[in-house]
Amino acid sequence: MNESLASLEVYARLIATGLGFLLGAMLIVFLLYKLVTSIIKPEGLAARMVSVAFGAIYVLIIVLAVLLAAEKLNYDVSGFAGIAILLVIVGAVIAFFAILFLPRLPFVIGDTVSIRGTMGVVDGITTYQTILRCFDGRLVYIPNMMMVGSDIQNYSTVPTRRVEVNVDLHVTDDIEVGRQLMLSAIAADERVLSEPAPAVFVTGMESGIISLLGLCWVNNADWFPTRDALIVDIAKRLNQTEGVRPVERELTVHQRA
């Protein structure tokens, strides 16, 4: 009885040690992966190489944990260690090329996307459906089969985005003043990137109205707040500047008979 309890105690310590080693090592690899991807921000082929490399490290850690546990149980693993490591390497190479042929969705959990006209943050992905959390709190469940051939826009995979601000002026206004006013407002925002350089273009003239389009680039996370701030700032500057009058659009209401 005492021998059985002693054996159980040995096994318990072995399991606890193995799990501690496994979880600790995987946590370190996970943090290292996050650090590497945040520094180099891999895309395309580089992203696939990084994912496969760290995936192989995960598998290698599991293999080492199993081999160490077997060795502690007095099993001879000297002939299996090299074979196991070789299999992990071969598997990583196969996975690197096989990823190209595996069907996958163009987003991951946490991405901001627009799918079939519905915009939100990907809250979950299952075998059969994708769950979007809309900005008003609604959960939308979209079957994955419906997304085949659908227009999917992913706003989280690019590091920068372009902000567009539209302004309509009267043809009798000083268009160049309006253009410079928009450019100065855009340049004053610290979130606007210098490259590509901000620009303002005349995009059309119709019914006595000149349309101006202001363009600038910002980091992805700054898109919403920068666009909001630029619209407010440009509107204030236009209202305080002589020679330019923003067009007030009229709302026409049709009453049904």
Side-chain angles (χ1 to χ4, degrees), residues 168-178 205-211 242-247:
D168 290 336
L169 301 177
H170 296 86
V171 292
T172 55
D173 292 340
D174 192 328
I175 306 304
E176 194 57 35
V177 169
M205 180 177 66
E206 183 179 0
S207 301
I209 297 174
I210 291 288
S211 297
E242 295 184 0
V244 288
R245 296 173 300 149
V247 175

Side-chain angles (χ1 to χ4, degrees), residues 79-252:
F80 296 97
I83 296 175
I85 294 174
L86 179 62
L87 289 175
V88 171
I89 296 174
V90 172
V93 173
I94 294 174
F96 176 78
F97 292 101
I99 286 177
L100 292 174
F101 304 97
L102 294 177
R104 57 180 179 176
L105 297 172
F107 50 77
V108 296
I109 293 177
D111 283 357
T112 299
V113 298
S114 176
I115 303 174
R116 298 178 63 86
T118 301
M119 187 174 182
V121 178
V122 180
D123 197 64
I125 302 173
T126 69
T127 306
Y128 305 103
Q129 62 190 5
T130 295
I131 306 169
L132 288 187
R133 184 177 296 277
C134 299
F135 297 114
D136 59 1
R138 292 178 298 121
L139 290 179
V140 179
Y141 299 81
I142 304 176
N144 292 335
M145 290 299 297
M146 292 181 61
M147 291 190 288
V148 178
S150 299
D151 180 20
I152 300 175
Q153 299 182 48
N154 191 326
Y155 299 97
S156 299
T157 55
V158 291
T160 58
R161 286 184 64 187
R162 190 177 72 181
V163 174
E164 300 181 3
V165 180
N166 295 281
V167 172
D168 290 336
L169 301 177
H170 296 86
V171 292
T172 55
D173 292 340
D174 192 328
I175 306 304
E176 194 57 35
V177 169
R179 188 202 302 266
Q180 293 303 319
L181 182 149
M182 293 179 66
L183 278 174
S184 61
I186 294 173
D189 196 306
E190 297 179 351
R191 292 165 295 194
V192 174
L193 302 177
S194 57
E195 291 292 336
V200 177
F201 299 99
V202 176
T203 58
M205 180 177 66
E206 183 179 0
S207 301
I209 297 174
I210 291 288
S211 297
L212 298 180
L213 174 63
L215 303 174
C216 64
W217 289 81
V218 297
N219 291 323
N220 198 327
D222 294 332
W223 189 86
F224 279 109
T226 304
R227 183 174 181 272
D228 176 79
L230 288 180
I231 292 175
V232 172
D233 188 23
I234 290 174
K236 287 182 178 179
R237 292 175 183 241
L238 286 172
N239 290 325
Q240 296 172 358
T241 304
E242 295 184 0
V244 288
R245 296 173 300 149
V247 175
E248 297 180 2
R249 295 290 184 178
E250 295 182 356
L251 178 62
T252 302

